[in-house]
Amino acid sequence: MIESPLLKHMSGYIGGKWVDADSGDTFAVMNPANGKELAQVPRMGEAETRRAIAAAKGALQMRPDREVCREWLEDIAQALIDEKTEVGRILCLEHGKPWKEAEGEAAYAAGFFSNCAKNIDALAPHKLDERPRDCKWTTHYRPIGVSGLITPWNFPIGMIAKKLAPALAAGCPVVIKPASETPLTMIALFTLIHERLELPEGMVNLVMGSASEIGGALCDSPDVPMLSFTGSTEVGINLIENTASQVKKLALELGGNAPFIVFEDADLDAAADNLIANKFRGSGQTCVCANRIYAHADVADAFVEKVVSRVKSMNVGDGMDEKTDMGPLINKAGFNKVRDHLKDALDHGAQLEAGKHPDDLDAEDGLFFPPTVISGVTHEMACTREETFGPLVPVVRFDRDEQAIEFGNKTEFGLAAYVFTKNKERAREVIANLRFGHVGLNTGTGPTPEAPFGGMKLSGIGREGGTEGLFEYVEAQTVPRSKN
Ligand code: ADP
C-alpha cells in the first residue's frame, strides 16, 4: 500500500472536509507496473455529488476579488513546485510513467496556475472608448458559476491544472471528478490545497467513483452551468446530449489521431529525435502523440532506420527505476488495443521493424509493451483510423505535398499534427491546410501553459492555456450607462 505525507486522507473532499462514500464502499487503485494494490478510495455517487454541488453553490456567494484569486493561484503553483518530487512519485506509482517524467508533469501543472496568476488582469472590466447609443459601455467578466471538472488518467495533475487554474482565476467553485485509475494524485493536490490555502469552504470539492452517477448528477443539476471534460469523444458526445436541454456551457478536449509528416528535405535526425520524445511520452498514451507517421518515399527507409535504432536503445520498465525511459500501459484493455492494432496491420501486409510479434505479447505477463515500429502501413489498417494510445509507430509513405495534406486530414479528429521540413513556403502552405488546433513545425512538442490548446472537428470545443483558456470560466456582461 502506498504511504505518503500527501495521502493522509484517502477520501473525497466536500465543503472543506475530508469525506468517505455514504455507503462506506471503496474501490482499489492499482500500480500498473506490478499489478499490486496501492490504496482503496471511496466509491462515491449521486448523493455525494449533489452535496458537493450544494457546497460549491454556497461558495459562489463569496465573490473573491482578483487579488485574492491571484494569491490562491500563486500558492497552488508554489505548493506544486515545492512538492513536485512527491507528487511525481504518487503519479508514477498509479499511472506508470517514469518518476522524472511525472515530476515534470507536476511542474507543467504549476505553470498553469502561475500563468493564470500572471494574466488574471485580463479579466478586469474594460470600458469602450466609443460612446454608441449615447451611453458609456463597460464589459465585466462574471464567473460562470459552479463548474464540473472531469479528467482522464493520462495526465493526472496536468489535466486538472488546465481547468482548475482558470476556474479559480474567475472565482468559480468546482466539483472535480478524477479518473478512477488515478485518483491519488488528485487527493495529493487536495491535501496541498487543504494544508496551504484558506479557500472558502466549498470552493473546491472532490468526488470519485461511479462515472455515470457523478457525471449524471453534474449534467442534471441546474446549479452547474459549466462542465469541462477531457476524455473520449464518445463520452464527450454523451455530455453534449445530456446537457442540451439546459444549454450548459461545455469545454471538451476529446480524442486525437495526430499525423507526423516528414518531408524529403527534413532534418531526419531531428525528426527521429522529436518522434521518439513525442510518441513514447506516457507510453504513447497522450492525445497529442503522433498516431500516423507519414514519410516521403525518398526518405522513408532512412527515416525508419533512424527511428528503429533509437527505439532499440530504449529501456522499458517500472517508472520508479531511474533507468526507465518508458513505463507500462495503464491496463489490460489498453494493452490489448495496441496489440490488436499491431496484429491487424501485420495481417494486412505491414512489416515489423522493431518490437515483438503480437503472438508473443500477452497482458497477463505484465503491461509493458515494447516500443514497436511498423512500415508499409496503409489507410486500410485500424492503426491509422483509430487512436492506438500506445507505443506503436506506423509509417505510411507519401509522394507529393497535396497527398501529405490529404493524408494528414484523413481523420474526423483535429487535435495535434506535426510537420518536418526546411522549406518555409511549403511549411506555411501545409500548416494552413491542416485542420488541427496544434501544429508543431520541426518540433514534436505538445501544449504549454502560455499558449491556447484545443481541438478542431471531433477533438472538441474550447481552448485551455493562454489567455484564451482564462476566458473559459467567465461570461461577459455588458453594461451601457446612460449619461442621464
Ligand atoms: P479514457 O478513455 O481516457 O478513460 P473516458 O472518456 O472513458 O476516457 O474517461 C475520461 C473521464 O471521464 C474519466 O474521469 C471517466 O471516469 C469519466 N467518465 C466516463 N464516463 C463518463 C460519463 N458517462 N459521464 C461523465 N464522466 C464520465
Side-chain angles (χ1 to χ4, degrees), residues 148-151 163 226-230 250-252 464 473:
L149 312 181
I150 303 176
T151 55
K163 303 178 192 304
M226 162 92 189
L227 272 186
S228 177
F229 166 82
T230 300
L250 293 176
L252 303 173
E464 294 182 319
Y473 295 82

Side-chain angles (χ1 to χ4, degrees), residues 149-154 177-182 209-219 227 229-236 238-239 242 253-254 285 330-331 387 389:
L149 312 181
I150 303 176
T151 55
W153 49 262
N154 62 345
K177 187 224 168 285
S180 297
E181 292 84 349
T182 56
S210 164
S212 56
E213 281 194 41
I214 296 169
L218 290 170
C219 286
L227 272 186
F229 166 82
T230 300
S232 60
T233 296
E234 188 191 347
V235 173
N238 210 277
L239 295 176
N242 292 343
E253 205 246 83
L254 308 176
Q285 302 170 115
I330 191 75
N331 54 29
E387 198 175 18
F389 234 56

